[in-house]
């Protein structure tokens, strides 16, 4: 045995190292569980990770040391719950943030978003979006950088939401139909340059606004727990869609999937910017509602705000009600087609579609049931309103948080 390590001791070392390795590989999954609200206590974390209590405790302590979560040693109130009380796990109140930026038809918004999808600070900007993406992206990034300076928070990276399909792998804004941007602008590269110019470190990403809204709703809002989640939403102008499958965005072979806005719902309808006619994009968006109700939209506030206000305050007027029902029927027709093709287990609606659903849920569900193969079976597909404020911004932040969620120690340690 001379020259060889004590086999018992070597075994112990192996066990310790194995536990550390297992602990490190569990850091990302553990952070994601706390981030998405699925592990409110250390006991739940232990069960969800399938590790020993000691490993879960070490993992939670490591995440706390990285400033990402807070372990509250005062046990959660055990009344009504089974088993013994356990330490509470929460996202750190003063932890790092991601810089999120959103461009829409009427301006922009910048925000700082912490773990848990929590918006720490936000600043809106209402303006005519410049035809040069570099100008408007420079403005929104500078607004975000100002928020970072004001709060003194550490920044993990930046994410951008745009009202356009973003073609992969180059990050090109391929159809910014409601902005004056030229087709095919390299928005991701421009955004990265603006982020660097503002002195912000960390990676920067860009994606379609409805895709990002769906991702955020899946992790923190109305889409939690859904396996095949379909999201349809209006922006300030136009209509977009997204599909989250098993927690991941389905974006197609080059990022261009789910252009649901260009489903035909009214064959004799108005011409669409895509070259077709009667698309959901122009038949069921905020401008369509205002026009249908016989109103002349004013420039004071965004079209989305005007259309939402109209439904919420004047729904008892016959002209407004008729206009809403027309849009609900068109939206229902579009959703019915998507149900046939995608077989989602949940549909969530955002923007003006959320307000239309709230105005008359029975009518919308009836149209979907009547016009789809499976929509009427066993109660049909649940159709729910999106629940997060600024879900596209929260989703943009998710892009920047993803490397941290994948490897907390590697990115922040
Ligand atoms: Zn179209």
């Amino acid at each position: 045995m001379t020259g060889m390590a004590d086999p018992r001791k070597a075994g112990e070392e192996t066990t310790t190292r194995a536990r550390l390795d297992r602990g490190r590989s569990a850091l990302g999954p553990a952070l994601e569980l706390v981030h998405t609200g699925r592990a409110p206590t250390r006991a739940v974390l232990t069960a969800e990770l399938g590790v020993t209590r000691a490993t879960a405790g070490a993992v939670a302590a490591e995440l706390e040391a990285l400033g990402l979560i807070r372990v509250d040693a005062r046990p959660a109130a055990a009344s009504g719950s089974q088993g013994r009380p356990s330490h509470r796990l929460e996202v750190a109140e003063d932890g790092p943030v991601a810089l999120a930026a959103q461009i829409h038809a009427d301006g922009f918004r910048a925000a700082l978003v912490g773990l848990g999808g929590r918006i720490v600070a936000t600043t809106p900007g209402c303006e005519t979006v410049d035809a040069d993406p570099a100008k408007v992206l420079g403005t929104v990034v500078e607004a975000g950088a100002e928020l970072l300076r004001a709060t003194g928070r550490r920044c993990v990276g930046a994410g951008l939401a745009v009202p356009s399909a973003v073609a992969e792998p180059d990050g090109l804004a391929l159809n910014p139909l409601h902005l004056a941007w030229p087709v095919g602008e390299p928005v991701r590269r421009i955004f990265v340059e603006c982020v660097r110019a503002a002195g912000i470190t960390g990676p920067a990403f860009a994606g379609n606004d409805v895709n990002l809204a769906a991702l955020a709703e899946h992790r923190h809002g109305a889409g939690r727990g859904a396996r095949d989640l379909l999201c349809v939403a209006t922006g300030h102008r136009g209509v977009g869609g997204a599909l989250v499958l098993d927690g991941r965005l389905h974006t197609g072979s080059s990022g261009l999937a789910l252009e649901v806005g260009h489903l035909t719902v009214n064959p004799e309808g108005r011409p669409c910017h895509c070259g077709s006619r009667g698309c959901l994009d122009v038949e069921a968006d905020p401008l369509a509602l205002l026009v249908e109700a016989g109103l002349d939209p004013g420039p004071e506030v965004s079209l989305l705000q005007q259309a939402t206000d109209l439904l919420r305050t004047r729904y008892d007027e016959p002209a407004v009600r008729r206009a809403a029902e027309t849009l609900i029927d068109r939206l229902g027709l579009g959703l019915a087609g998507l149900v046939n093709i995608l077989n989602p287990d949940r549909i969530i609606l955002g923007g003006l579609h959320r307000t239309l659903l709230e105005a008359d849920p029975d009518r919308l569900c009836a149209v979907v049931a009547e016009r789809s193969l499976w929509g009427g079976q066993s109660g049909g597909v649940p159709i729910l309103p999106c629940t997060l404020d600024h879900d596209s911004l929260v989703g943009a932040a998710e892009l920047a948080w993803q490397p941290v969620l994948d490897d907390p120690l590697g990115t922040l340690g």
Side-chain angles (χ1 to χ4, degrees):
M1 296 296 284
T2 312
M4 289 182 70
D6 174 354
R8 197 172 55 92
K9 200 173 167 215
E12 276 170 10
E13 278 169 5
T14 307
T15 309
T16 308
R17 199 176 309 118
R19 189 181 293 143
L20 283 174
D21 289 347
R22 205 162 46 236
R24 173 157 188 179
S25 67
L27 281 175
L31 183 59
E32 187 172 329
L33 286 165
V34 179
H35 174 57
T36 53
R38 285 177 292 154
T41 66
R42 214 168 64 180
V44 176
L45 182 70
T46 305
E48 288 285 330
L49 290 177
V51 296
T52 62
R53 271 179 50 193
T55 301
V59 164
E62 183 75 52
L63 292 175
E64 188 173 40
L66 288 169
L68 294 170
I69 72 167
R70 206 166 72 86
V71 182
D72 189 343
R74 287 171 303 154
S79 62
S81 62
Q82 302 226 323
R84 55 182 183 164
S86 174
H87 290 36
R88 276 178 293 194
L89 304 178
E90 289 166 355
V91 164
E93 282 286 333
D94 54 354
V97 292
L99 190 163
Q102 182 178 9
I103 309 298
H104 52 74
D106 301 313
F108 65 82
R109 187 178 284 271
L112 305 183
V113 185
L115 281 170
R118 291 185 190 171
I119 296 181
V120 171
T122 173
T123 174
C126 203
E127 62 170 38
T128 305
V129 174
D130 198 279
D132 178 3
K135 271 196 187 151
V136 64
L137 293 183
T139 306
V140 70
V141 168
E142 191 40 54
E146 184 55 45
L147 291 176
L148 280 172
R149 285 190 289 271
T151 58
R153 294 290 190 105
R154 180 178 183 182
C155 182
V156 297
L160 168 71
V162 290
S164 166
V166 177
E168 299 299 343
D170 298 323
L172 312 178
L174 226 50
N175 58 345
L177 298 179
H178 302 288
L179 303 178
W181 292 359
V183 168
E185 283 291 299
V187 281
R188 184 158 57 221
R189 182 172 60 70
I190 297 170
F191 183 61
V192 168
E193 286 166 2
C194 292
V195 166
R196 292 287 164 270
I200 297 162
T201 54
F205 305 88
N208 168 263
D209 53 3
V210 179
N211 274 347
L212 297 178
L215 186 63
E217 292 285 346
H218 186 270
R219 292 185 177 179
H220 309 293
R224 279 171 69 171
R227 216 191 62 177
D228 292 69
L229 177 70
L230 171 66
C231 175
V232 175
T234 73
H236 289 228
R237 292 286 309 277
V239 173
L243 187 65
V244 183
L245 299 176
D246 286 324
R248 298 210 163 269
L249 271 173
H250 172 77
T251 54
S253 59
S254 56
L256 307 179
L258 275 296
E259 277 294 344
V260 308
H262 301 284
L263 280 172
T264 305
V265 291
N266 183 13
E268 306 306 318
R270 9 176 115 79
C272 180
H273 358 259
C274 73
S276 183
R277 180 175 278 282
C279 297
L280 203 53
D281 203 78
V282 287
E283 298 286 340
D285 86 332
L287 180 63
L289 178 76
L290 295 167
V291 171
E292 206 71 40
L295 297 173
D296 196 7
E300 315 77 44
V301 291
S302 78
L303 292 169
L304 175 60
Q305 192 64 52
Q306 291 178 57
T308 306
D309 289 347
L310 184 70
L311 287 180
R312 291 200 171 140
T313 60
R314 294 170 56 186
Y315 195 66
D316 49 355
E317 293 178 26
V320 174
R321 196 181 181 108
R322 268 198 309 276
E325 288 175 352
T326 301
L327 260 76
I328 287 171
D329 292 351
R330 292 173 186 160
L331 174 62
L333 193 56
L335 293 179
L338 291 166
V339 164
N340 289 344
I341 294 165
L342 301 171
N343 185 214
D345 62 345
R346 195 180 305 170
I347 298 172
I348 56 172
L349 301 179
L352 182 67
H353 293 168
R354 163 183 168 170
T355 319
L356 285 168
L357 172 68
E358 287 163 349
D360 197 341
D362 293 345
R363 187 180 184 99
L364 182 62
C365 292
V367 177
V368 176
E370 278 163 25
R371 303 299 292 258
S372 64
L373 274 169
W374 323 123
Q377 294 190 353
S378 56
V381 190
I383 305 177
L384 305 174
C386 289
T387 54
L388 300 176
D389 290 330
H390 308 304
D391 48 14
S392 293
L393 274 173
V394 173
E398 291 296 324
L399 295 181
W401 274 113
Q402 196 58 53
V404 180
L405 293 168
D406 290 340
D407 184 5
L409 201 56
T411 47
L412 298 178

